[in-house]
Amino acid sequence: MNIILLGPPGAGKGTQAQRLVERHGMRQLSTGDMLRAAVKAATPVGLQAKAVMERGELVSDEIVSALIGEELDAMGSETGAIFDGYPRTEAQAHSLDAILGQRGRTLNHVIELAVDEDALVERITGRFTCANCGKGYHDKFERPQVDGTCDKCGSTEFKRRPDDNEETVRTRMAEYRAKTAPILPIYEARGIVARVDGMADMDQVTAAIEQVIAS
Ligand code: ADP
Ligand code: ADP
Ligand code: ZN
């Protein structure tokens, strides 16, 4: 099973990907996470990507497609892939076709998380993650069960992304509208797009995605 989670920043891609990983043993391939790891490790890719990410613009297609190919090669061919935050441009969509084809994989579903733009700024500015295991949280919508302690691993350290501020979010939303939303028709023509209401409760969104996957 290979699926794409598509939606603007804050739509819930990462949240839902983490749940699919837990329930189905699939693998989350998040180019955002891969790039942040590269920035942290100050690799050549990270050094190139850092300023672009801080502005909320898109990193080059070549860089992200190379990262995706490497990550797929590092996982078992039987393991399902959830693409989270990739592809984001038409060029990336075409690269993904080639990358999957070369590895004997086919794309099963593109799940579009439909959300109101007005809600996204609040989602993004309230977002934080466990510094140890990466579990996602929100100041208002998903607080840890015990304040200050990660539900999943017990860590007491959390972090926030430098690009999760209102100004950068506006740029990221504009990038999504201009470059990412236009790739939907490619997949609509193949009949593999499912639209899920991303404004619903997290659990309801998960249930809707489960239905798509089971279909
Ligand atoms: P994305 O990966 O698409 O950028 P996230 O999954 O990180 O989005 O979600 C952004 C923030 O919104 C997180 O803090 C998350 O806890 C919260 N969130 C995710 N889904 C929902 C939802 N259905 N309702 C309310 N808040 C949500
Ligand atoms: P979000 O969860 O808010 O959608 P991501 O973590 O996916 O954000 O991405 C953070 C930043 O990393 C983006 O604003 C962009 O600069 C860069 N990035 C991530 N994925 C891609 C991609 N597929 N193509 C180009 N840039 C990307
Ligand atoms: Zn944790």
Side-chain angles (χ1 to χ4, degrees):
M1 174 85 63
N2 299 284
I3 66 176
I4 295 174
L5 294 179
L6 199 71
K13 304 179 295 294
T15 302
Q16 298 301 329
Q18 286 184 345
R19 292 178 173 205
L20 290 172
V21 166
E22 269 165 30
R23 287 160 184 243
H24 299 287
M26 296 174 77
R27 181 78 169 263
Q28 175 187 11
L29 289 94
S30 158
T31 40
D33 287 348
M34 294 174 208
L35 289 166
R36 279 184 288 281
V39 169
K40 196 173 171 202
T43 64
V45 162
L47 294 175
Q48 221 178 312
K50 188 168 189 280
V52 179
M53 293 172 76
E54 277 168 2
R55 289 195 300 271
E57 293 167 8
L58 294 184
V59 173
S60 82
D61 294 330
E62 292 71 25
I63 286 181
V64 292
S65 293
L67 289 172
I68 285 285
E70 285 165 22
E71 194 92 348
L72 273 175
D73 287 336
M75 60 191 249
S77 56
E78 300 301 308
T79 306
I82 309 154
F83 297 97
D84 160 11
Y86 178 92
R88 259 176 155 95
T89 64
E90 217 171 291
Q92 291 177 27
H94 295 308
S95 292
L96 180 60
D97 285 338
I99 287 167
L100 291 176
Q102 286 155 7
R103 291 162 180 81
R105 289 177 178 264
T106 48
L107 201 50
N108 304 89
H109 303 283
V110 175
I111 299 174
E112 180 197 2
L113 293 173
V115 282
D116 301 338
E117 280 207 359
D118 300 341
L120 297 179
V121 172
E122 187 184 17
R123 281 202 190 173
I124 296 262
T125 53
R127 166 161 70 182
F128 63 98
T129 55
C130 172
N132 177 51
C133 75
K135 163 134 188 38
Y137 293 98
H138 191 280
D139 291 326
K140 193 159 141 195
F141 305 125
E142 195 180 16
R143 302 191 60 88
Q145 271 153 23
V146 177
D147 234 12
T149 305
C150 176
D151 298 346
K152 199 173 149 192
C153 78
S155 166
T156 52
E157 276 188 56
F158 297 89
K159 58 184 183 184
R160 288 175 196 264
R161 283 168 44 179
D163 59 340
D164 277 352
N165 58 74
E166 178 155 0
E167 195 196 335
T168 307
V169 171
R170 301 272 175 208
T171 306
R172 285 155 61 197
M173 277 159 51
E175 289 280 70
Y176 180 82
R177 250 183 271 119
K179 296 171 187 164
T180 309
I183 70 178
L184 265 168
I186 299 176
Y187 300 118
E188 273 160 359
R190 296 183 201 169
I192 56 170
V193 176
R195 198 160 197 261
V196 165
D197 176 14
M199 294 308 295
D201 281 354
M202 274 175 229
D203 291 346
Q204 283 173 274
V205 177
T206 304
I209 292 174
E210 292 289 351
Q211 263 197 348
V212 173
I213 290 177
S215 69

